[in-house]
Amino acid sequence: MPSAFRRPDSVCVYCGSSNQADPRYLDAATQFGKDLAANDMRLVYGGGGVGLMGRVARGAHEAGGRVLGIMPDFLRSREILFDEVETIVVPNMHERKMIMFQESDAFVVLPGGIGTLEEIVELLSWRRLDLHQKPVVFANLDGFWNPLFQLFEHTIEANLTPPDFREAWVSVDSIDQIIGALTKPAEAA
Ligand code: AMP
């Protein structure tokens, strides 16, 4: 465990692509985009203009922040590529995730669906294998991620995941706690 998080320059955000998400979650994504811009942290994300993804990117971009989108070619129309920001178009999902990982110093998880889950579980499994030590912060708005945390705990209690996996991530209850959690020691976040 690092004793303190370094202040990240680039922050990857995993979040949902649905426009039907709770408006509070969509607004939270906009707010976090603005917070990244205000803290001069670059947003790295999936490149889409829809759902929370689109909102976090627009929030950051319209507040003058730096944004890098990574979009697989076959999803350009479905996820409505947000072309007002720097975007890398890649051939497939694996490249997308790898570049998102390589370009980022820290990761933030907002509410999302199966795609968000897939991305965060891979990132945390890499952490379990000591392939990285990058901070991961869940925005657990309204307890959104509690069922996932319970599942993690279930696998720990069954001796299938090591107990120190609990240190692989931190959870905060509100958007305005995320930047602090990215820059504080994990145990104080
Ligand atoms: P969702 O949470 O289902 O709305 O998906 C959020 C984002 O994750 C969308 O941009 C999806 O395209 C993306 N996504 C889903 N599965 C994968 C995957 N295997 N690799 C990379 N991105 C993915």
Side-chain angles (χ1 to χ4, degrees):
M1 276 301 297
S3 59
F5 293 162
R6 267 186 324 149
R7 188 182 185 284
D9 178 65
S10 291
V11 176
C12 180
V13 177
Y14 297 127
C15 59
S17 57
S18 170
N19 287 325
Q20 270 70 56
D22 187 319
R24 288 172 305 163
Y25 296 159
L26 292 163
D27 290 346
T30 302
Q31 183 57 52
F32 187 57
K34 289 183 189 171
D35 288 353
L36 285 173
N39 285 276
D40 192 25
M41 293 177 184
R42 180 179 69 156
L43 167 68
V44 177
Y45 86 115
V50 287
L52 278 74
M53 295 171 71
R55 294 286 291 264
V56 72
R58 279 194 185 81
H61 178 57
E62 288 170 9
R66 295 169 290 146
V67 179
L68 174 64
I70 324 285
M71 175 64 79
D73 199 26
F74 77 97
L75 278 179
R76 286 171 78 135
S77 354
R78 182 156 152 190
E79 295 194 349
I80 312 180
L81 178 87
F82 182 44
D83 60 6
E84 292 172 36
V85 299
E86 183 184 357
T87 305
I88 302 174
V89 177
V90 294
N92 55 51
M93 299 299 238
H94 294 295
E95 288 266 332
R96 176 199 239 181
K97 281 192 296 187
M98 186 49 74
I99 297 177
M100 286 168 78
F101 175 76
Q102 288 169 340
E103 291 286 334
S104 306
D105 310 307
F107 300 85
V108 169
V109 193
L110 303 180
I114 195 73
T116 304
L117 267 175
E118 197 273 351
E119 292 170 313
I120 188 61
V121 167
E122 180 176 74
L123 181 74
L124 290 173
S125 73
W126 288 353
R127 169 66 185 250
R128 186 200 156 173
L129 299 173
D130 296 324
L131 294 174
H132 74 92
Q133 292 283 314
K134 298 180 184 184
V136 177
V137 177
F138 282 85
N140 192 27
L141 310 180
D142 307 322
F144 183 87
W145 290 112
N146 285 348
L148 181 65
F149 300 154
Q150 283 158 10
L151 183 58
F152 291 161
E153 199 56 37
H154 173 65
T155 68
I156 293 169
E157 283 167 10
N159 298 321
L160 293 166
T161 302
D164 66 2
F165 177 72
R166 296 186 182 105
E167 295 164 26
W169 46 275
V170 297
S171 170
V172 298
D173 300 332
S174 65
I175 291 295
D176 56 13
Q177 292 173 287
I178 300 173
I179 297 289
L182 287 171
T183 51
K184 263 190 239 163
E187 55 277 11

